[in-house]
Every structure is written in C-alpha cells, then in structure tokens.
Amino acid sequence: MDLATIAQVVSAFGTVGLTVLFGFQLRVFYRQVLVNRDTLQEMRETRTAHERPHVLVTAEYRHGTLVEVVVSNIGRGAAENITFEFSAPIESSVSYRRDSEVVPLSELPHFRDGLNYLAPGAEIATVWDSHANLVPLLRDMELQNGITVTSRYASLTGEPYETLWTINPLLMPGNLYAAEVGRANE
C-alpha cells in the first residue's frame, strides 16, 4: 500500500467517525431540548397554579364566641362565577325555629345565587351563630361531621376549579374564646 491509499482510508474512517460523533451530539442536543421543554412546561404550570384563584369557605371566630362563615379568595388570581353547594342547610338557632322568618345562611343571596367576582385577598364574612347555641343545634341536626361546602369558580382566563371544604364548629373550642372575652371585660 502506498501512502496515498493509507491517507484515503484514514480519511474515510475519520469522516465516518466524525459522522457518528455528530449524530451522537445531535441525539444529546435533542434530549436536552426535550428536558428543557418539560422544565419550561413545569415552570409554566407552577406559575399558573401559583397565580390561580383559590376560594375557600371556613367557619371562624371573629368576635368573641360568634362563629362566622367566611368565603375568601386566598389565591393570587381573581375568581369569577362562584357557586356554592351545601351538604346540609347552614341553620342558626334563629333560623331553625319552625315559625322563624330568618332563612338559613345557605339561602342568603351570595350563597344561593353565587358571586360574580371575588378579588385576590377578598373575603365575605357572615355571622352564623354563637358557639353556645350552635353546638347543640348541630348535634340535634346530626351534623357531628360538619357541613361540606363545594365551591365552583373560574379564573379570569376561564379555567374551572372546584374545591370541597368541611366546616364544623363542633371541632372549635368555644370555651377558650369565652374565657378571653370574660377577661377583657374585667
């Protein structure tokens, strides 16, 4: 073999080797593109979830021993077309009486008809009853496990959401708050 033939064979092997190496680099680059696309999609979903509305319904003490039902949007996005569904009526000691003209909380317009809009951080609080009156009432109504509230709503982009919350004042220690109010009056 002469020197020219050896150079051509080495050049051919070099060309094949470079082609294989180039193909390997293309495959690595393609996998990096896929990983980056998945990472970007995950980041987009995280941002969207972080900025979405999140409407919840809770029972809270706000004024001594009064229990309030509070609808709030703890998300960073506005909620619209909010509706509520209750597993049982939210009765108070006043509305539960047969001859009462007071309607259960769940029949108030903002619960019955829903809300058009709730801004981020906004809340609507409605007095339910005193803890002392509510505990025996809920036991009489056999609601020891509380009342489940389903809230359905959409983000401003139209993305629908649904959350279920159980409100149960029987789990709230009313005597702790009564003692605090008594001390404030001393």
Side-chain angles (χ1 to χ4, degrees):
M1 247 190 212
D2 65 343
L3 193 54
T5 306
I6 293 173
Q8 287 177 345
V9 169
V10 170
S11 176
F13 279 120
T15 302
V16 169
L18 285 175
T19 303
V20 169
L21 183 61
F22 181 72
F24 178 73
Q25 286 178 331
L26 278 178
R27 185 166 176 86
V28 168
F29 177 72
Y30 178 74
R31 287 186 181 189
Q32 285 177 335
V33 167
L34 291 178
V35 168
N36 288 344
R37 185 178 338 155
D38 291 344
T39 301
L40 287 174
Q41 180 64 27
E42 186 177 317
M43 289 170 63
R44 186 176 296 120
E45 289 171 3
T46 301
R47 181 183 50 82
T48 302
H50 185 66
E51 293 181 5
R52 69 164 262 210
H54 197 85
V55 176
L56 57 109
V57 181
T58 58
E60 300 178 12
Y61 285 113
R62 294 278 178 99
H63 306 285
T65 61
L66 289 180
V67 178
E68 294 183 348
V69 175
V70 180
V71 176
S72 55
N73 180 1
I74 63 168
R76 292 182 63 182
E80 61 181 3
N81 303 322
I82 306 159
T83 61
F84 303 96
E85 183 180 312
F86 301 89
S87 63
I90 300 182
E91 297 278 3
S92 69
S93 58
V94 178
S95 69
Y96 194 63
R97 296 184 193 139
R98 288 182 192 239
D99 59 348
S100 177
E101 293 182 17
V102 177
V103 297
L105 262 66
S106 49
E107 292 300 316
L108 292 175
H110 63 281
F111 287 126
R112 184 189 65 229
D113 303 331
L115 299 167
N116 293 332
Y117 180 84
L118 193 61
E123 66 179 28
I124 299 171
T126 308
V127 174
W128 187 354
D129 207 336
S130 71
H131 191 267
N133 291 338
L134 201 53
V135 168
L137 175 66
L138 292 174
R139 287 187 178 135
D140 286 347
M141 294 175 66
E142 298 181 358
L143 293 172
Q144 288 83 355
N145 294 326
I147 298 171
T148 302
V149 182
T150 304
S151 57
R152 293 180 182 88
Y153 51 96
S155 66
L156 293 180
T157 61
E159 186 74 27
Y161 298 100
E162 177 178 302
T163 53
L164 275 71
W165 299 95
T166 300
I167 54 176
N168 191 351
L170 296 176
L171 301 176
M172 302 168 80
N175 58 348
L176 294 177
Y177 293 93
E180 291 297 323
V181 171
R183 282 190 201 136
N185 293 334
E186 291 176 1

